[in-house]
Amino acid sequence: MSPRVAFLLFATMACGALPMTAAEPVAIRTNITNTTPVPAVPPSQIWSALVLATNAANPKPAPHELQEFVPRMKKVFGYNQFELAGPSVSQEIGDGTESWLVPSKSFWMGLKGRRALAKEAQGGFLLSLQLYQDQRPIVDTEVKLAPGSPLFIRGPQYGKGQLIIVLQVQR
């Protein structure tokens, strides 16, 4: 008897649909089929940038890539000017994939992701994240990252400002 049939037999007996003692052999026929193919989930993109945040007397507008993050970064970090300190990078990420993001010569990240199952994640990922400065590991953590909900990592002080690493799952 297959495990599925055994479970169905147990479930029907527990609900009272079948007697708990069977005087004669009982055959249960199930007609459970899934004819709808399960669509493959395409990989997503994870976007990252290394940002230099400073306070300036006449702040320059943020680059286009950072526009959506500026209000939150101002509120969280208290700076009024945000510039890219390296190129922004997009990398494909899927279930079980491992990616390396290199937002600058000094900082790089290792990411291993799997799709988050929680409804709150809304198509996001559970990421195992390792952040390195040069050859030295500085962060090793797990984060849940959903589209439209960026992760900001406060980096070290740099010049008259602060380095910030931004990660976001692209829809």
Side-chain angles (χ1 to χ4, degrees):
M1 180 180 324
S2 75
R4 186 179 207 166
V5 172
F7 173 76
L8 289 172
L9 177 60
F10 175 76
T12 54
M13 287 191 307
C15 293
L18 293 175
M20 292 300 275
T21 58
E24 57 189 64
V26 177
I28 297 177
R29 177 180 282 169
T30 61
N31 191 12
I32 301 173
T33 57
N34 185 0
T35 57
T36 307
V38 177
V41 179
S44 295
Q45 296 284 321
I46 189 159
W47 179 86
S48 68
L50 182 62
V51 177
L52 176 59
T54 57
N55 279 320
N58 296 316
K60 295 183 275 184
H64 173 72
E65 298 97 314
L66 298 177
Q67 287 295 320
E68 70 177 288
F69 307 112
V70 168
R72 287 186 195 171
M73 288 193 297
K74 279 183 179 180
K75 185 177 179 180
V76 171
F77 299 107
Y79 292 99
N80 65 5
Q81 181 172 282
F82 301 93
E83 303 171 78
L84 287 172
S88 61
V89 179
S90 286
Q91 179 73 33
E92 192 173 274
I93 189 163
D95 265 342
T97 61
E98 193 166 6
S99 301
W100 291 95
L101 301 172
V102 185
S104 78
K105 291 179 183 178
S106 296
F107 290 95
W108 47 283
M109 289 176 279
L111 300 172
K112 187 171 184 180
R114 67 177 169 82
R115 291 236 178 243
L117 301 176
K119 290 181 181 179
E120 304 88 45
Q122 302 167 357
F125 285 87
L126 184 61
L127 298 174
S128 174
L129 180 140
Q130 295 85 33
L131 176 63
Y132 296 86
Q133 182 177 11
D134 298 318
Q135 298 297 320
R136 189 180 46 150
I138 55 175
V139 173
D140 187 357
T141 189
E142 280 197 355
V143 295
K144 193 184 307 179
L145 197 57
S149 183
L151 173 67
F152 302 111
I153 301 171
R154 182 185 298 262
Q157 295 287 320
Y158 184 81
K160 294 182 180 181
Q162 178 89 51
L163 290 175
I164 301 168
I165 296 169
V166 182
L167 292 173
Q168 178 167 289
V169 174
Q170 302 290 324
R171 293 180 194 257

